[in-house]
Amino acid sequence: MSRLSRLLALVAVLLVAGCGKPDFSDAEKKTIASLALNALPVLKPDTTNRFADVPAAAALGSTLFFDQGMSHDGNVSCSTCHKIDRQFQDDLPQAVGVGRTNRRSMPLAGVARNPWFFWDGRRDSLWAQALTPLENPLEQAGNRAAFAHYIQKRFGERYERIFGPLPDLSTVPANASPLGNEAEQAAWKAMTAAQMDDVNRVFSNIGKAIAAFERSIEPAQTRFDRFAIDLASGAKPKADDAFSPEEMLGLKLFIGKANCVTCHNGPRFTDNSFHNTGVPPVKDLPLDRGRFDAVAQVEADPFNCFGAFRDGDAGACGELRFMVKDAPELMRAYKTPSLRGAATRPPYMHAGQFSSLEEVVAHYSAAPAAVEGTSEVHPLQLSDRERAALVAFLKTLSE
Amino acid sequence: MASIWRYLLAGLGLAALLAGILAIVYLTAPQSAPGTDVSRSKKTANGLFVASFQPERGVIKQGELQSWLLTLKTVKGDPVEGAAISVSGGMPQHNHGLPTSPQATDYLGEGRYRIEGLKFTMSGVWQLRFAISAAAGSDTVVFNVVL
Ligand SMILES: [Cu+2]
């Protein structure tokens, strides 16, 4: 071998090492490690719900979660839209309870780690969230007085073992709620303050039990996580865990040029924040301004962290206390969803606007302007090959 | 003739080698923000105060609410008391504001003010701007925090 050909061989080796897909820089490796499931911290206690980690509360919550009796027509439960065998979502563009809603059901893996709930963050705790569909006329369509009576009738003993004695509900109307129909609202207004408080207390405990159950729903390890562990330790990946060159390119783009990791960061692939990404509204659905309108709703919620039904001290209310109330970027801003399991649960976005990951990636690559407010996304001009690689990588989060 | 080709090839080879090395250096360089002033202590814009800004527990944790301490001294080194402080900011490179509304919630003495409700939700350069109003007058200061 001549000196020249040896030199050329060396150059070739260096070029492959420098530009070949399988190699990640130290900075990239650090980012990849930060996305892996083993970077997920232990679930923090929820001091606003003193029953959050009480097993009997979680057991009752689980019963209530699957109980169709927890609805106006007896046909809808939490699990109608949050299906246990479908990542606790329903595969529909907009959830259908008693009626058709205007938003996509959200999956529940890791839900207890959210600072804000719903696509727009209009609730600030898991237990306050759980109460909302119960009274939404399009979801479970019930009313809190009826729920209190139902709990007493069906689960009185179980309830009292966890939460203590039920109040005397004998003089509470069968149907009453400040959020109900006209008759229910009138019945609510006719109640004494003590009766309202009694009903609200039982109602809030329903939410606390359901939240205790939902805390057990956590994300599972994926092929990406096994790849990330091997990459961090330098171990050779087992046959099925090794990434194909396309998946490798997709991961590189995800944490690099495509900027996905800016918002989809951490082991849950979300910054838990709200962004306008120019996702178009769905025709025929009511006006939807996302976070912009949710701020007033969470502030007005009697079950929010500042309210009388919070356990523990107000030190837990930082998110609500320091919430951004008034900023142009709240307009049509929606929560960054986790990407774990996303590949196997189309359609996507807050009202199921996109039917495939290809459409989602194409949207972010083109970055059209928002119909209202300003999109935070900038056009990327990704090639066909790059878009396909991103989709291939996202699939590793569902395997 | 053959030797000219040899030199030409060797030259090309060296150029490729250089490109390869540059590529490696470029690809492995940490993603910092060159030229970003990350000092935690500085004079305010009009020189009225000296401000220092430190995380209260020493470390910055991405994605978690946290408190920082803003310490205000006069140029002579006396603590600035009774200051009214407002906080704004965002990520200039991403064109968005702060994900929370941090506030000065407590005066801890010796010119130290607790700034509560800070949250850094993504990596990159964050800018925090303080508008300070005290007996000596009003001034502003901007700190960069890089995650
Ligand atoms: Cu940003």
Side-chain angles (χ1 to χ4, degrees), chain A residues 12 78 94 97 224 277 323 367:
Chain A
C78 305
Q94 295 104 36
F224 162 74
T277 59
M323 168 173 72

Side-chain angles (χ1 to χ4, degrees), chain A residues 14 18 25 265 319 322 329, chain B residues 17 27 62 97 101 119 121-122:
Chain A
L14 281 170
S25 69
N265 61 38
E319 292 284 353
F322 300 107
E329 58 235 57
Chain B
L17 177 67
L27 287 171
Q62 188 171 320
S101 299
K119 190 164 160 183
T121 45
M122 50 180 75

Side-chain angles (χ1 to χ4, degrees), chain A residues 179-256:
Chain A
L179 304 179
N181 60 30
E182 246 174 83
E184 288 161 2
Q185 288 193 30
W188 182 260
K189 278 186 203 133
M191 285 163 57
T192 66
Q195 285 176 317
M196 292 177 184
D197 194 64
D198 285 346
V199 169
N200 278 337
R201 178 68 58 187
V202 177
F203 192 47
S204 66
N205 285 339
I206 292 173
K208 288 177 183 179
I210 294 173
F213 160 63
E214 291 177 315
R215 281 169 70 79
S216 64
I217 307 169
E218 286 272 58
Q221 199 188 54
T222 66
R223 193 154 74 84
F224 162 74
D225 299 305
R226 294 190 289 276
F227 170 83
I229 289 169
D230 289 337
L231 183 72
S233 67
K236 194 176 164 348
K238 278 171 227 79
D240 293 348
D241 295 342
F243 268 24
S244 70
E246 188 184 39
E247 289 162 347
M248 209 85 85
L249 172 65
L251 171 55
K252 233 180 199 322
L253 288 164
F254 187 91
I255 62 173

Side-chain angles (χ1 to χ4, degrees), chain A residues 157-195:
Chain A
E157 220 176 280
R158 283 177 76 182
Y159 177 98
E160 291 191 333
R161 258 184 279 138
I162 302 159
F163 300 105
L166 276 157
D168 175 12
L169 298 170
S170 58
T171 57
V172 169
N175 296 290
S177 166
L179 304 179
N181 60 30
E182 246 174 83
E184 288 161 2
Q185 288 193 30
W188 182 260
K189 278 186 203 133
M191 285 163 57
T192 66
Q195 285 176 317

Side-chain angles (χ1 to χ4, degrees), chain B residues 32 44 57 94 107 116 122 143:
Chain B
S32 63
T44 52
R57 288 195 176 79
H94 296 170
Y107 180 61
E116 241 182 303
M122 50 180 75
F143 288 98

